[in-house]
């Protein structure tokens, strides 16, 4: 489903060039559950942004569902983001003045769906995350876990093929985090391709496959079950001679 | 994206910042109110002046003795004009078919007395035709009777002020007043009219022209008013009057003015004044536009994360542009409507203070002010909205 080859991304920070990603080549199959790990500055967020078509690589090609993303113009990219990709962020990013229901409706507003259809589908998604009774609440009236579940409902309401989660439990307590992870897993079980960026081994462990990045390069590819050994190897390497 | 959704999203974003939205809205409304109030003032002045002239009558020619052009000859040599006589006036009315009717006017000042009460007023000597030519109306009695122009008659029509001064609390009809050495019978009282081109028509005595000329010891008329049949014949009639009187006098020593020419000139001058006032007021609308731009720029930088999110959710550039532009236009057009209300209020207050001034904002000014307020929002909203569309989504999501 996804084919990355030779992806690199360089930022200019002051006078210095920072290589956030240097030559990443990877394939992700449809329906896969992939975790991306690595210390801060390893390039995992940059990779996620490129996967989400929010950022463009400086070199290399990105093929999504058989289309080369680098050749799409701004309008086509926004359509890909709208219909093919769902985002979940660490800081939820709900629009504060809109209710939970209206937040979930937003992607459908951009798609130009009719009000009644929007309402029905948004309510359905809220029900799926167990928040149908909170539909009229604004984000500041919801707990962190509830906010992330609203964000999850919003990310999936247009039935995307790919769900990208950036530290989805990073701002949640353990119980809410588990709830959100369970929901992600459920979605993955229905065939949705899931890519989670995390620094938490407990989160990465649930993925079938883990990509460990370091300095913009893939350091290791491991099974979810062996994530702890990979983390140890990484820290040994960092702290080693 | 549907238009109603764009509208709903933008208006909710504005309601999130009531004070800020209110302030920039106020800026626009002051601009629109200024345009409306000032153009109403200008239009009122124009209508007032035009009304003053129109009340004298339409399609009028005014003949006055003397040439208004200076010839530069030596004073005393042929410079004294011939008298403009009653016979001249009658000849013009009878000989020129384009003239429907005419009325000679002699004026002067004399003391009018009844018993011990006396009052110095303007005396107007004229004929029966004056009633219609100058659109006069009567409160009591009747106007001067139709007479041969060269025949006098001891009758007078007086203004309301004069009437109440000489005959407090009683009817003056049929009573005798003394005008100078002359005893005259009051046959009518004019309806209140107020000042008309500098003469207080409430404080006059009107007598037959032949009597007035003897009473005031005048040989020349002050003016002859002529009513022309149609507007199209005005110029022709003026030429004929000038030619006829020049023949009778042996030289061109009278001036003939078309009332409309004066009116048209004043009308266009005052119209231009109104436009200028509106234009000056429109500058304040532009200032208000800068205010909107400022508020929208603040709004965009405050909502950077939101813009990043909208992009991540698949909003296109055009959609984000439309959202922010709609906010700006909503502020400006709501301000325009509010300003319309303010403007009407100011005009109503003005009319209450000066009832004589027919101040109403011209339709073009109302339309232009509203259109301009919408345009101001759209124009000054473009820069902030474009800034929003150009935000890099990754940086915007991080709040940078």
């Amino acid at each position: 489903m996804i084919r990355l080859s030779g992806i690199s991304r360089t930022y200019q920070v002051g006078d210095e060039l920072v290589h956030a990603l240097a030559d990443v080549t990877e394939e992700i199959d449809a329906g896969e559950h992939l975790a991306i790990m690595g210390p801060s500055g390893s390039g995992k967020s940059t990779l996620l942004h490129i996967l989400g078509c929010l950022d463009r690589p400086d070199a290399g090609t990105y093929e999504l569902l058989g289309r080369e993303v680098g050749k799409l113009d701004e309008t086509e990219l926004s359509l890909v983001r709208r219909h093919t990709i769902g985002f979940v962020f660490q800081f939820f990013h709900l629009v504060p003045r809109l209710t939970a229901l209206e937040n979930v409706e937003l992607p459908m507003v951009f798609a130009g769906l009719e009000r009644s259809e929007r309402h029905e589908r948004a309510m359905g998604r809220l029900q799926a995350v167990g928040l149908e009774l909170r539909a009229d609440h604004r984000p500041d009236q919801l707990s962190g876990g509830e906010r992330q579940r609203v964000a999850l409902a919003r990310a999936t309401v247009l039935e995307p093929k790919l769900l990208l989660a950036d530290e989805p439990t990073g701002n949640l307590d353990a119980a809410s985090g588990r709830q959100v992870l369970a929901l992600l897993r459920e979605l993955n079980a229905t065939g949705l391709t899931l890519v989670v960026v995390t620094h938490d081994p407990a989160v990465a462990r649930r993925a079938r496959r883990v990509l460990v990045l370091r300095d913009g390069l893939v350091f290791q590819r491991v099974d979810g079950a062996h994530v702890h050994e990979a983390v140890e190897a990484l820290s040994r390497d960092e702290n080693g001679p | 994206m549907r238009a109603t959704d764009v509208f709903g999203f933008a208006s909710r974003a504005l309601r999130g910042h009531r004070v800020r939205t209110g302030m920039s809205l106020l800026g626009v409304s002051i601009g629109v109110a200024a345009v409306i109030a000032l153009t109403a003032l200008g239009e009122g002045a124009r209508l007032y002046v035009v009304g003053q002239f129109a009340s004298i009558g339409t399609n009028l020619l005014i003949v006055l003795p003397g040439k208004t052009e200076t010839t530069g000859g030596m004073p005393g040599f042929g410079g004294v004009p011939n008298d403009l006589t009653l016979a001249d006036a009658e000849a013009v009315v009878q000989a020129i078919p384009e003239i429907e009717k005419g009325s000679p006017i002699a004026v002067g000042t004399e003391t009018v007395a009844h018993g011990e009460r006396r009052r110095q007023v303007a005396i107007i000597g004229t004929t029966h035709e004056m009633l219609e030519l100058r659109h006069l109306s009567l409160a009591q009695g009747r106007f001067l009777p139709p007479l041969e122009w060269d025949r006098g008659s001891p009758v007078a029509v007086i203004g309301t002020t004069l009437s109440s001064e000489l005959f407090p609390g009683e009817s003056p009809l049929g009573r005798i007043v003394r005008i100078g050495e002359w005893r005259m019978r009051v046959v009518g009282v004019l309806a209140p009219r107020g000042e008309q081109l500098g003469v207080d028509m409430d404080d006059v005595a009107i007598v037959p022209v032949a009597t007035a000329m003897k009473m005031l010891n005048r040989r020349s008329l002050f003016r002859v008013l002529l009513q022309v049949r149609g507007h199209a014949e005005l110029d022709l009639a003026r030429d004929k009057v000038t030619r006829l009187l020049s023949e009778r006098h042996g030289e061109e020593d009278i001036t003939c003015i078309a009332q409309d020419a004066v009116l048209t000139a004043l009308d266009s001058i005052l119209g231009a004044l109104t436009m200028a006032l509106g234009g000056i007021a429109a500058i304040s609308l532009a200032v208000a536009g800068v205010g909107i731009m400022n508020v929208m720029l603040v709004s965009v930088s405050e909502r950077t994360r939101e813009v990043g999110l909208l992009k991540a959710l698949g909003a296109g550039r055009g959609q984000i542009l439309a959202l922010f532009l709609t906010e700006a236009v909503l502020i400006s057009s709501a301000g325009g409507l509010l300003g319309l209300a303010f403007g009407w209020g100011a005009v109503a207050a003005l009319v209450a203070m000066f009832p004589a001034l027919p101040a109403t904002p011209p339709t073009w000014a109302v339309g232009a002010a509203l259109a301009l307020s919408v345009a101001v929002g759209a124009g000054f909203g473009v820069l902030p909205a474009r800034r929003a569309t150009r935000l890099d989504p990754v940086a915007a999501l991080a709040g940078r």
Side-chain angles (χ1 to χ4, degrees):
Chain A
M1 174 178 170
I2 290 172
R3 187 172 291 142
L4 300 169
S5 60
I7 295 285
S8 76
R9 180 76 173 95
T10 312
Y11 294 108
Q12 177 103 32
V13 180
D15 291 338
E16 226 178 309
L17 279 181
V18 177
H19 295 277
L21 286 177
D23 194 22
V24 171
T25 299
E26 191 66 41
E27 284 196 21
I28 303 170
D29 295 332
E32 207 180 331
H33 180 179
L34 178 76
I36 302 175
M37 283 195 76
S40 22
S42 62
K44 55 188 192 303
S45 287
T46 304
L47 183 55
L48 192 82
H49 291 141
I50 287 175
L51 284 174
C53 302
L54 291 172
D55 201 358
R56 289 173 187 266
D58 297 317
T61 55
Y62 169 23
E63 210 177 282
L64 174 65
L65 292 167
R67 295 169 85 189
E68 204 188 315
V69 171
K71 288 186 179 153
L72 302 181
D73 66 19
E74 194 59 41
T75 313
E76 290 168 315
L77 277 182
S78 68
L79 289 175
V80 168
R81 289 197 291 260
R82 190 188 300 166
H83 292 285
T84 313
I85 300 169
F87 284 99
V88 176
F89 305 97
Q90 180 178 2
F91 298 105
F92 323 128
H93 282 303
L94 299 180
V95 179
R97 59 183 178 278
L98 302 182
T99 64
L101 185 74
E102 288 164 335
N103 266 288
V104 177
E105 281 185 28
L106 262 185
M108 298 188 282
V109 168
F110 295 127
L113 296 190
E114 249 184 273
R115 182 176 282 271
S116 57
E117 188 187 351
R118 275 184 351 222
H119 188 85
E120 201 175 313
R121 286 175 71 167
M123 275 313 274
R125 289 313 304 165
L126 281 178
Q127 213 157 2
V129 298
L131 287 176
E132 68 274 18
L133 297 177
R134 300 260 190 227
D136 293 334
H137 290 226
R138 282 203 312 274
D140 56 7
Q141 298 163 315
L142 298 171
S143 74
E146 288 170 333
R147 288 183 210 182
Q148 195 60 300
R149 276 146 67 198
V150 171
L152 201 53
R154 182 179 65 189
T156 53
V157 75
L158 278 177
E159 291 166 0
K161 301 282 182 292
L162 173 64
L163 183 62
L164 302 175
D166 191 357
E167 303 278 9
T169 59
N171 248 10
L172 301 179
D173 61 72
S176 306
R178 273 198 298 279
Q179 229 175 346
V180 167
L181 288 176
L183 282 169
L184 285 174
R185 205 132 98 185
E186 249 176 60
L187 287 165
N188 179 237
T190 63
L192 182 65
T193 310
L194 178 62
V195 177
V196 181
V197 162
T198 182
H199 63 272
D200 184 356
V203 174
R205 200 162 48 85
R206 295 163 182 258
R208 213 184 64 205
R209 208 154 67 85
V210 182
L211 221 55
V212 183
L213 296 188
R214 203 189 67 174
D215 296 337
L217 287 164
V218 179
F219 175 71
Q220 255 186 323
R221 293 184 178 81
V222 294
D223 267 7
H226 298 102
V227 74
H228 285 284
E229 292 143 48
V231 170
E232 274 166 37
L234 186 66
S235 69
R236 249 199 328 277
D237 203 62
E238 297 267 295
N239 304 326
Chain B
M1 201 173 180
R2 285 152 190 271
T4 52
D5 292 326
V6 175
F7 183 83
F9 193 90
S11 61
R12 291 186 70 156
L14 289 177
R15 266 180 283 159
H17 294 284
R18 282 165 202 274
V19 176
R20 188 199 291 171
T21 304
M23 288 299 161
S24 36
L25 202 137
L26 194 64
V28 178
S29 63
I30 288 173
V32 170
V35 170
I36 287 174
L38 285 180
T39 52
L41 194 65
E43 184 74 357
R46 188 181 71 84
L47 289 177
Y48 177 75
V49 171
V50 170
Q52 283 279 302
F53 274 86
S55 71
I56 303 165
T58 47
N59 294 340
L60 278 190
L61 288 176
I62 303 167
V63 184
L64 45 149
K67 194 73 192 139
T68 48
E69 283 167 27
T70 47
T71 48
M74 268 227 293
F77 286 90
V80 180
N82 292 305
D83 295 335
L84 183 60
T85 62
L86 264 178
D88 286 339
E90 284 196 277
V92 165
V93 174
Q94 279 160 17
I96 301 175
E98 283 81 6
I99 305 292
E100 194 175 324
K101 57 178 73 143
S103 180
I105 296 176
V107 295
T109 317
E110 193 52 276
T111 307
V112 181
H114 172 249
E116 290 307 302
R117 293 175 168 270
R118 42 183 57 232
R119 190 168 174 84
Q120 184 93 2
V121 298
I123 306 296
I124 299 178
T126 187
T127 60
H128 179 69
E129 287 82 0
M130 166 98 158
L131 180 68
E132 246 182 276
L133 277 178
R134 289 193 70 166
H135 300 298
L136 297 175
S137 52
L138 291 163
Q140 297 176 53
R142 51 198 171 75
F143 198 65
L144 300 176
L147 295 166
E148 298 288 318
W149 285 7
D150 54 0
R151 281 196 43 200
S153 173
V155 291
V157 175
I158 60 177
T160 49
T161 308
L162 182 60
S163 166
S164 58
E165 287 294 328
L166 296 187
F167 302 95
E170 45 185 325
S171 169
L173 289 187
R175 309 287 292 268
I176 303 292
V177 291
R178 270 177 291 114
I179 302 181
E181 301 303 317
W182 296 63
R183 288 165 59 80
M184 314 285 277
R185 182 180 300 277
V186 177
V187 293
V189 178
L190 289 174
R193 181 62 176 270
E195 212 160 279
Q196 196 178 43
L197 291 185
V199 179
D200 184 356
M201 293 300 283
D202 293 343
D203 209 7
V204 292
I206 301 177
V207 297
V209 63
T211 311
M213 288 175 85
K214 280 181 213 151
M215 188 187 277
L216 300 167
N217 197 20
R218 296 281 155 88
R219 283 187 305 147
S220 177
L221 292 170
F222 176 64
R223 298 278 188 271
V224 180
L225 294 182
L226 298 170
Q227 180 157 347
V228 181
R229 270 178 222 288
H231 187 79
E233 291 154 352
L234 212 54
D235 283 339
L236 176 68
R238 186 175 58 190
D239 290 346
K240 285 193 176 178
V241 169
T242 310
R243 211 175 313 130
L244 180 69
L245 289 177
S246 301
E247 272 169 30
R248 285 176 65 92
H249 293 174
E251 58 174 323
E252 191 177 331
D253 61 352
I254 55 104
T255 303
C256 187
I257 313 170
Q259 173 85 36
D260 290 29
V262 182
L263 195 60
T264 309
L266 274 173
D267 194 27
S268 68
I269 290 168
L270 291 166
L273 180 76
T274 305
M275 297 267 279
L277 283 173
I280 291 166
I283 293 174
S284 62
L285 261 180
V287 175
V290 176
I292 289 184
M293 181 159 68
N294 193 16
V295 159
M296 289 307 297
L297 282 173
V298 170
S299 179
V300 169
S301 56
E302 265 187 3
R303 283 152 64 194
T304 303
R305 281 161 183 271
E306 183 182 315
V307 173
L309 168 79
L310 299 184
K311 289 197 166 185
L313 293 181
R317 284 192 171 189
Q319 293 178 325
I320 290 175
L321 187 79
L323 287 176
F324 281 92
L325 210 51
T326 303
E327 281 188 35
V329 172
L330 274 178
I331 292 180
S332 70
S333 47
L337 289 177
L338 188 68
L340 193 61
F342 283 167
W344 277 110
V347 170
L350 197 69
V351 171
M353 276 189 283
F354 306 103
L357 194 67
T360 39
T363 320
W364 62 263
V366 174
L370 286 181
L372 206 58
S373 71
V374 173
V376 153
F380 287 94
V382 166
L383 178 75
R386 284 180 74 108
R387 177 167 286 196
T389 64
R390 284 179 183 165
L391 287 175
D392 168 35
V394 173
L397 278 167
R400 275 181 274 135

